[in-house]
């Protein structure tokens, strides 16, 4: 069969799924062979990555073959569908290519530990991005995210210092149950979330302005708190080990395996919850509706005020959580924690396909977006690209990713 | 044929899941008015968008003045002498009318815009088309119908060889329509060809020389207008005989009042005042009136979208307070809004999400959706109304206007309303879909639901209503039983205050 014939054909979805399953199975088997055959000193954990690809294909193929929803549809292979597929998944394809290139340049990148590091580094960013995505989905934004991370970090650590530490924020505070300062930190963020939501929903203020105002207020408030005597703006240190454990514990340390940071499962749980909220709840559907057509949402009886309030409160709670985890991970805090996180998070969302015009965006896209930025940062450091070049590349990726995304919609 | 100015041949255009145009042709002669007709979704607008460079055809050729062309964008189309008046207008609201007209081709003096010349040119242009509007007033301050006429003037200013008019009269009054026809005749005398899209048969037969009919994205044929009748056009558009434009009535309104509105007055002094009316179970109450009679404002206030200064609403004999749409939905009132695109559909969401949005709580427990029930309800509701969609997951913006309207009706029927307020339920919808919507309305009335229908189409108002309430300038000027009503009596009531109304429009629009 010539290539042209293969390029243009239609096959039932079931067969398509089965073919994918067979390919996935072969790759998985290959991975098992590689695991034993390849010398680990040269190829590190390459077999593991091959295995991930294999299992991924297997799972996708099984989904295609056995899913009832689309079983009667066919899969078309034409120039149009192929280019459409590349367009729709351009970001993921670029990510995979980048990983392969870095692996070739620096085989040490194939270590499992690298993957785990990337996941750990992504965790808190993921939580912030998942918070901010709600505000983007209603065609808004939230500039106060980063400063709320700082607020939560400072509040939580200020009450969780060891008794013997010299520069205690509250010298006479007894050993509090760990949950209390954490709750206080999150509640403090939520209060500013209420303020954000109120300015936007009650006065119809553009979220850019409302959250800019709140950003400045939050930073001021954090700094005032941070500057209280006896602390006088010194970095908060001497954090209680039971709190630090929240960000530094490694789970599954079996044998030679170095373990997974506890931040990874926490971020995973938050991701699943947010996916559920966006896709399976009335609130989530209302968010998309308001983003899609606010006037129509009003007519359809959607409580826009309540929904917007909930959006900003939920987002601020997530920033608060991220701030607490960030403080625990680094075992300390200053009032400058979280500075600029909102822009990273917005960039990650946008690269992941969230439209600033509202109404469009998926959790899977946001996860990809966050991972891309961490991989770039980590990977480029790994092959010793200068931090200045890293900035240039990061910016270029934002521009290119969004350009591709817009081309998708423009093609009519 | 040397007098052919435009030929479109074998035009094909595909959208995901829909073949919008399938081997369509169109031949337009110089200086003629060529009507393009077909049901909604027949592909008229798509064909015109291909000609105007908004879409690019997948296959086929466009021959303008004997020259084969590929039109890549609107700017090129305008340069070639093709201009288009869109169905929905998008003026730059906070800029003067004249800047809206000359945008992209401002008269310049050096590097600065020459405002004086622009003003003069606009004045001359308005004089040419007999339009009395101050060129320096913000476009956002003009009424929809005046804007439409400004848009027509703009098309004239391009000295186009071909002007495409997509439903130009949808927001025009009878007088304004006559005015438009006068302009069209002038343009014709200059050798300009008009491609005229409209659903209004009487208009088409009056103004056009030739008629091309399309159906389901395919070319049906082209005929001389003088050989056609309304029935013939409808028959060719829908591909079947349509002897009746309205279904036969099988119900009688019950003598049980369900809604009583007393002394309803808007907080806006220019809007409705002292409105009283009663609605019975199983009745279709038509609200007639001219554009600006505040009919939409009245029903939106009843639905809780606008505030009132005074007045009460009683439902089933009990006073109710509606402050917001959720209150109204709770009280079992539904409102199908006039502007489908602006306040009806969520274009980027699926048919499923669009159908259930007003009644989400019914398919949720503790805020968590029950996917299966949502799906079933939406599917059932849309099947009952015979909505044509590839699947429930299709984006609603890919459906035709008529099908979008059915999805919106399905949305409201899911809330199980006792009172349905339908604001221009068949605007911009083809004959076939109209008939289906009329049938649905009759069925609902038969079930004992009460319907308020605002309509600006006289035959629809007379053909569908049991009683007709006529408004003028925010007041109810008369209520008629449908049996006694004819277009003359309705118009009499509708123009009751019209002289005063025109004075007010003059004040607000023509600052001179």
């Amino acid at each position: 069969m010539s290539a042209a014939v293969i390029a243009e054909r239609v096959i039932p979805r079931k067969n398509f799924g089965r073919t994918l399953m067979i390919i996935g199975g072969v790759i998985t088997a290959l991975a098992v062979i590689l695991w034993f055959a390849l010398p680990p000193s040269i190829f590190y954990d390459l077999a593991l990555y091959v295995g991930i690809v294999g299992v991924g294909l297997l799972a996708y193929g099984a989904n295609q073959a056995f899913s009832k929803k689309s079983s009667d549809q066919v899969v078309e292979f034409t120039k149009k569908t192929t280019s459409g597929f590349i367009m729709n998944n351009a970001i993921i394809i670029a990510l995979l290519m980048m990983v392969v290139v870095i692996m070739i340049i620096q085989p040490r990148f194939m270590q499992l530990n690298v993957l785990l590091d990337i996941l750990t580094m992504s965790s808190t960013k993921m939580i912030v991005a998942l918070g901010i995505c709600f505000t983007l989905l209603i065609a808004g934004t939230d500039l106060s995210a980063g400063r709320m991370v700082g607020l939560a970090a400072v509040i939580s650590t200020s009450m969780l210092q060891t008794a013997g530490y010299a520069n205690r924020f509250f010298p006479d505070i007894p050993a509090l149950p760990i949950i209390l300062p954490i709750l206080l930190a999150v509640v403090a963020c939520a209060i500013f979330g209420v303020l954000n939501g109120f300015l936007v929903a009650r006065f119809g203020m553009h979220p850019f302005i409302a959250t800019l105002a709140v950003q400045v207020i939050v930073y001021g408030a954090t700094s005032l708190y941070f500057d209280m005597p006896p602390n006088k703006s010194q970095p908060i240190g001497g954090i209680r080990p039971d709190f630090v454990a929240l960000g530094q514990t490694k789970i599954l340390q079996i044998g030679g395996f170095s373990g997974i940071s506890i931040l990874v499962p926490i971020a995973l749980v938050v991701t699943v919850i947010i996916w559920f909220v966006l896709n399976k709840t009335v609130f989530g559907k209302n968010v998309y509706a308001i983003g899609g057509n606010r006037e129509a949402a009003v007519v359809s009886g959607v409580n826009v005020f309540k929904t917007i309030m909930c959006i900003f409160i939920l987002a601020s709670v997530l920033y608060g959580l991220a701030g607490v985890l960030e403080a625990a991970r680094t075992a300390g805090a200053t009032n400058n924690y979280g500075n600029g996180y909102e822009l990273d998070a917005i960039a990650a969302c946008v690269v992941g396909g969230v439209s600033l015009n509202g109404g469009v965006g998926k959790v899977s896209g946001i996860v990809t977006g966050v991972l891309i930025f961490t991989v770039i940062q980590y990977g480029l450091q790994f092959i010793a690209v200068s931090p200045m070049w890293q900035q240039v590349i990061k910016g270029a990726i934002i521009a290119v990713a969004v350009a591709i995304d817009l081309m998708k919609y423009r093609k009519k | 044929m040397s007098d052919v100015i435009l030929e479109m041949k074998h035009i094909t255009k595909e959208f995901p899941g829909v073949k919008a145009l399938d081997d369509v042709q169109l031949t337009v002669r110089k200086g003629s008015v060529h009507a393009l007709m077909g049901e909604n979704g027949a592909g008229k607008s798509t064909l015109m968008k291909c000609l105007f460079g908004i879409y690019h055809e997948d296959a086929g050729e466009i021959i303008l003045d004997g020259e084969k062309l590929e039109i890549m964008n609107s700017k090129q189309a305008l340069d070639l002498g093709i201009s288009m008046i869109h169905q929905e207008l998008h003026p730059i609201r906070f800029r003067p009318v004249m800047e809206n007209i000359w945008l992209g081709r401002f008269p310049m003096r050096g590097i600065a815009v020459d405002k004086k010349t622009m003003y003069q040119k606009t004045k001359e242009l308005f004089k040419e088309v007999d339009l009395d509007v101050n060129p320096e007033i913000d476009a956002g301050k003009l009424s929809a119908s005046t804007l439409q006429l400004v848009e027509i003037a703009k098309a004239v200013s391009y000295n186009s060889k071909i002007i495409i008019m997509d439903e130009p009269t949808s927001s025009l009054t009878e007088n304004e329509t006559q005015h438009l026809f006068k302009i069209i005749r002038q343009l014709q005398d200059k050798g300009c060809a008009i491609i005229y899209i409209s659903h209004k048969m009487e208009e088409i037969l009056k103004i056009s020389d030739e008629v091309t009919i399309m159906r389901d994205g395919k070319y049906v044929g082209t005929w001389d207008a003088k050989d056609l009748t309304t029935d013939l056009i409808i028959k060719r558009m829908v591909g079947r005989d349509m002897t009746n434009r309205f279904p036969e009535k099988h119900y009688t309104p019950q003598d049980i009042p369900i809604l009583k509105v007393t002394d309803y007055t808007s907080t806006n002094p220019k809007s409705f005042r002292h409105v009283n009316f009663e609605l019975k179970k199983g009745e279709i109450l038509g609200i007639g009136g001219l554009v600006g009679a505040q009919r939409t404002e009245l029903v939106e206030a009843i639905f809780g979208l606008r505030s009132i200064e005074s007045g009460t609403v009683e439902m089933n004999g009990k006073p109710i307070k509606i402050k917001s749409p959720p209150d109204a939905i709770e009280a079992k009132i539904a409102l199908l809004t006039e502007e489908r695109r602006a306040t009806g559909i969520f274009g980027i969401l699926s048919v499923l999400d669009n159908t259930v949005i007003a009644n989400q709580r019914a398919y949720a427990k503790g805020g968590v959706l029950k996917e299966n029930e949502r799906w079933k309800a939406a599917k059932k509701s849309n099947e009952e109304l015979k909505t044509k969609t590839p699947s429930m997951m299709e984006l609603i913006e890919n459906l035709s206007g008529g099908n979008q309207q059915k999805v919106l009706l399905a949305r409201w029927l899911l809330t199980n309303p006792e009172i349905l307020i339908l604001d221009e339920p068949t605007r911009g919808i083809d004959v076939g879909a109209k008939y289906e919507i009329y049938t649905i309305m009759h069925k609902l009335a038969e079930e004992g639901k009460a319907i308020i229908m605002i309509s600006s189409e006289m035959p629809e108002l007379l053909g569908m209503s049991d009683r007709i309430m006529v408004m003028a300038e925010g007041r109810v000027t008369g209520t008629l039983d449908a049996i006694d009503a004819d277009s003359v009596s309705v118009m009499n009531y509708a123009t009751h205050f019209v002289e005063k109304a025109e004075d007010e429009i003059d004040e607000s629009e023509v600052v001179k």
Side-chain angles (χ1 to χ4, degrees):
Chain A
M1 235 186 275
S2 71
V5 178
I6 298 170
E8 300 251 342
R9 56 193 242 174
V10 177
I11 56 172
R13 190 160 291 267
K14 210 162 235 174
N15 295 358
F16 173 70
R18 280 198 195 124
T19 314
L20 278 185
M21 277 172 74
I22 292 169
I23 297 174
V26 170
I27 294 178
T28 314
L30 182 72
V32 174
I33 297 169
L34 288 179
W35 181 261
F36 294 106
L38 290 180
S41 54
I42 304 169
F43 290 102
Y44 299 95
D45 297 318
L46 176 63
L48 194 80
Y49 285 97
V50 176
I52 292 174
V53 174
V55 172
L57 273 180
L58 201 63
Y60 183 70
N63 180 27
Q64 293 286 309
F66 301 120
S67 153
K68 272 183 196 147
K69 233 184 201 172
S70 50
S71 58
D72 48 346
Q73 286 171 14
V74 291
V75 181
E76 273 182 74
F77 283 102
T78 60
K79 250 186 207 151
K80 220 170 148 190
T81 55
T82 314
S83 67
F85 178 81
I86 292 174
M87 282 276 247
N88 282 326
N89 297 288
I91 307 294
I92 297 177
I93 294 169
L95 175 67
L96 292 178
M97 271 167 41
M98 208 155 57
V99 169
V100 171
V101 169
I102 295 171
M103 280 179 173
I104 292 170
I105 296 174
Q106 182 49 274
R108 276 196 298 125
F109 200 71
M110 288 184 241
Q111 293 173 92
L112 176 59
N113 280 339
V114 169
L115 179 67
L116 295 177
D117 273 352
I118 287 172
L119 289 179
T120 311
M121 281 173 68
S122 303
S123 300
T124 45
K125 289 183 191 167
M126 189 82 76
I127 296 173
V128 176
L130 288 170
I132 231 164
C133 85
F134 283 88
T135 66
L136 297 179
L137 279 174
I138 56 163
T141 186
D142 192 348
L143 299 179
S144 62
R147 292 306 184 187
M148 287 209 203
V149 168
L151 175 72
V154 168
I155 291 184
S156 57
T157 49
S158 69
M159 298 175 201
L160 287 165
Q161 289 166 303
T162 46
Y165 189 64
N167 290 324
R168 288 190 81 191
F169 198 96
F170 296 110
D172 307 321
I173 205 167
L176 297 169
I178 192 163
I179 190 71
L180 192 67
I182 292 176
L183 272 181
L184 276 175
V186 172
V187 167
C189 287
I191 289 170
F192 286 107
V194 171
L195 182 57
N196 270 333
F198 193 72
L199 290 177
V200 174
R202 177 70 181 80
F203 300 109
M205 208 180 275
H206 192 285
F208 189 96
I209 300 301
T211 60
L212 177 65
V214 173
Q215 177 203 55
V216 177
I217 295 171
V218 171
Y219 181 55
T222 310
S223 300
L224 282 172
Y225 182 77
F226 192 59
D227 195 38
M228 283 197 312
N231 192 59
K232 284 280 173 202
S233 292
Q234 290 173 60
I236 301 171
I239 310 302
R240 272 164 48 183
D242 52 344
F243 178 67
V244 173
L246 201 59
Q248 292 185 353
T249 307
K250 298 220 162 181
I251 56 171
L252 294 176
Q253 276 177 315
I254 309 162
F257 183 52
S258 58
I260 299 168
S261 164
I262 191 164
L263 293 174
V264 177
I266 293 176
L268 192 67
V269 168
V270 172
T271 308
V272 170
I273 292 174
I274 296 303
W275 177 85
F276 185 84
V277 167
L278 271 179
N279 292 290
K280 299 287 167 194
T281 65
V282 174
F283 170 68
K285 292 289 175 190
N286 287 349
V287 172
Y288 280 112
I290 292 174
N293 184 346
R294 190 176 162 146
E295 300 305 315
V298 172
V299 174
S300 304
V302 172
N303 191 330
V304 175
F305 179 85
K306 201 171 116 189
T307 309
I308 291 180
M309 287 301 282
C310 286
I311 284 171
F312 280 99
I313 294 169
L314 176 64
S316 61
V317 165
L318 289 173
Y319 311 145
L321 177 63
V324 168
L325 293 176
E326 194 73 355
R329 185 176 70 83
T330 56
T334 72
N335 59 340
N336 266 322
Y337 260 49
N339 185 15
Y341 276 28
E342 63 275 356
L343 295 183
D344 283 346
I346 292 170
C349 285
V350 167
V351 166
V354 179
S355 162
L356 288 182
N357 293 327
V360 179
K362 286 188 204 160
V363 169
S364 59
I366 297 161
V367 171
T368 319
V370 172
L371 285 179
I372 281 176
F373 278 106
T374 323
V375 169
I376 293 166
Q377 199 186 339
Y378 197 92
L380 293 182
Q381 259 169 34
F382 220 87
I383 53 175
V385 173
S386 97
M388 296 160 223
W389 273 110
Q390 285 179 32
Q391 292 290 320
V392 175
I393 293 170
K394 228 164 121 177
I397 283 180
I398 298 174
V400 171
V402 176
I404 290 174
D405 215 37
L406 289 176
M407 266 159 68
K408 261 193 311 207
Y409 295 108
R410 178 130 20 110
K411 265 224 155 166
K412 274 207 161 171
Chain B
M1 284 212 294
S2 61
D3 67 338
V4 169
I5 180 128
L6 171 78
E7 251 185 300
M8 297 177 84
K9 286 185 192 163
H10 309 300
I11 305 286
T12 299
K13 173 80 193 167
E14 228 172 305
F15 292 119
V18 203
K19 204 160 196 178
L21 295 175
D22 186 5
D23 197 13
V24 174
Q25 63 183 75
L26 180 69
T27 308
V28 180
R29 287 183 296 108
K30 217 171 258 176
S32 70
V33 176
H34 196 112
L36 190 55
M37 300 203 72
E39 296 187 278
N40 266 23
K44 298 162 306 201
S45 291
T46 313
L47 183 67
M48 289 303 104
K49 282 178 179 167
C50 285
L51 177 58
F52 195 56
I54 296 172
Y55 294 154
H56 195 256
E57 64 276 7
D58 298 337
E61 49 190 46
I62 298 174
I63 301 164
L64 183 72
D65 247 350
E67 207 177 321
K68 192 170 172 261
L69 293 168
E70 222 172 308
I71 300 174
M72 301 310 292
N73 54 49
S74 310
K75 173 98 175 64
Q76 192 194 347
L78 288 168
D79 291 342
L80 287 167
I82 303 169
S83 56
M84 182 161 177
I85 299 163
H86 297 271
Q87 197 171 347
E88 276 148 38
L89 302 174
H90 304 286
I92 307 168
R93 308 201 79 87
F94 296 106
R95 301 305 304 169
V97 171
M98 57 177 187
E99 286 188 21
N100 270 282
I101 289 179
W102 301 105
L103 191 66
R105 51 195 175 118
F106 286 143
M108 303 297 281
R109 193 195 291 149
I111 57 158
V113 174
D114 187 353
K115 280 214 161 180
K116 225 181 201 170
T117 311
M118 184 155 65
Y119 184 86
Q120 277 311 320
K121 282 169 86 173
T122 315
K123 269 267 161 205
E124 281 161 27
L125 177 67
F126 283 174
K127 205 173 156 195
E128 196 180 335
V129 299
D130 201 12
L131 187 62
D132 188 17
V133 175
N134 178 359
E136 281 179 318
I137 196 168
D138 282 357
K141 287 188 182 150
L142 298 183
S143 67
S145 57
T146 316
L147 267 179
Q148 188 80 54
L149 293 172
V150 167
E151 198 68 22
I152 288 159
K154 182 177 171 182
V156 171
S157 75
Y158 278 99
N159 286 322
S160 309
K161 292 183 226 165
I162 299 172
I163 299 179
I164 306 161
M165 298 187 177
D166 193 353
E167 301 259 9
T169 56
S170 61
S171 61
L172 298 190
T173 62
E174 191 57 36
N175 276 338
E176 288 164 329
T177 305
Q178 292 309 321
H179 188 172
L180 170 68
F181 285 178
K182 227 167 77 193
I183 298 172
I184 289 179
R185 294 292 179 220
Q186 278 175 24
L187 290 168
Q188 250 184 310
D189 292 343
K190 284 193 212 158
C192 176
I194 313 277
I195 301 175
Y196 193 95
I197 301 179
S198 176
H199 288 299
K200 299 184 183 165
M201 304 288 168
E202 293 80 8
E203 259 177 50
I204 294 280
L205 291 173
K206 193 170 162 197
I207 192 76
S208 59
D209 302 312
E210 281 170 309
V211 180
T212 290
I213 296 178
M214 293 172 67
R215 188 198 310 143
D216 298 332
K218 293 193 183 74
Y219 174 76
V220 176
T222 304
W223 293 272
D224 270 349
K226 58 179 188 294
D227 300 337
L228 289 171
T229 60
T230 305
D231 288 344
L232 219 51
I233 293 176
I234 292 175
K235 194 172 150 187
R236 286 173 178 156
M237 267 166 61
V238 299
R240 61 182 180 272
D241 274 308
M242 285 282 278
T243 42
N244 282 324
R245 281 164 83 177
F246 302 101
E248 220 173 294
K249 272 184 194 174
H250 292 296
Y251 70 94
T252 37
Q254 302 166 28
D255 206 14
I256 311 165
I258 181 163
L259 187 79
K260 195 175 169 203
V261 174
T262 317
D263 194 34
Y264 229 51
T265 302
S266 166
T267 41
N268 176 358
K270 287 203 167 174
S271 195
F272 57 88
R273 310 198 71 77
H274 311 298
V275 171
N276 297 294
F277 70 93
E278 223 180 56
L279 181 67
K280 291 187 196 118
K281 264 191 151 179
E283 174 189 51
I284 299 177
L285 174 71
I287 304 184
L290 300 174
V291 173
Q294 307 294 324
R295 296 170 294 168
T296 298
E297 288 75 4
L298 171 68
V299 295
E300 284 184 355
I302 293 172
F303 194 68
L305 284 164
R306 288 169 192 268
S307 53
I308 52 158
E309 195 178 276
S310 67
T312 56
V313 178
E314 273 175 48
M315 198 163 160
N316 290 320
K318 276 177 235 134
I320 51 167
K321 273 234 171 336
I322 293 169
K323 291 209 167 119
S324 66
D327 292 348
I329 294 168
E330 182 76 14
K332 299 211 168 296
I333 300 175
L335 171 68
L336 189 74
T337 51
E338 181 183 13
E339 305 264 344
R340 190 164 52 235
R341 198 156 260 290
T343 57
I345 63 164
F346 301 93
I348 53 175
L349 299 184
S350 65
V351 171
L352 171 65
D353 285 341
N354 267 286
T355 312
V356 296
I357 184 73
N359 198 31
Q360 297 218 73
R361 299 259 159 221
Y363 317 111
K365 201 174 178 185
V368 177
L369 295 167
K370 291 185 247 173
E371 204 58 52
N372 236 340
E373 288 185 24
R374 245 161 60 90
W375 180 281
K376 265 191 224 151
K379 203 166 168 64
K380 188 164 164 259
S381 181
N382 274 308
E383 268 167 11
E384 270 171 22
L385 301 188
K386 301 197 184 90
T387 311
K388 270 184 238 156
T389 169
S391 84
M392 281 291 116
M393 297 317 288
E394 186 69 31
L395 297 189
I396 195 170
E397 66 186 359
N398 293 339
L399 303 190
S400 70
N403 282 314
Q404 290 179 357
Q405 194 75 333
K406 285 192 201 166
V407 172
L408 294 184
L409 260 176
R411 173 194 293 173
W412 287 115
L413 291 183
L414 282 181
T415 66
N416 201 17
E418 283 180 45
I419 298 170
L420 275 118
I421 305 172
L422 311 176
D423 194 352
E424 305 282 3
T426 63
R427 167 170 291 183
I429 284 183
D430 59 78
V431 180
K434 265 186 186 174
Y435 191 86
E436 284 176 300
I437 284 178
Y438 294 150
T439 314
I440 296 164
M441 287 168 69
H442 276 180
K443 202 178 129 235
L444 294 169
E446 205 176 333
E447 288 167 13
K449 300 196 191 293
I451 297 175
I452 298 174
M453 175 189 72
I454 296 182
S455 177
S456 296
E457 265 184 66
M458 193 61 82
E460 179 174 280
L461 196 64
L462 294 169
M464 285 302 294
S465 315
D466 296 310
R467 280 187 306 141
I468 299 169
M469 173 170 112
V470 187
M471 289 179 68
E473 213 203 322
R475 287 158 211 264
V476 175
T477 47
T479 306
L480 300 153
D481 273 333
I483 311 157
D484 313 326
D486 55 30
S487 48
V488 177
S489 56
V490 171
M491 266 335 254
N492 265 339
Y493 284 119
T495 50
H496 207 77
F497 283 100
V498 90
E499 273 169 40
K500 201 181 154 217
E502 264 177 9
D503 287 343
E504 272 179 25
I505 289 167
D506 281 350
E507 266 170 46
S508 61
E509 284 181 3
V510 190
V511 184
K512 250 214 85 183

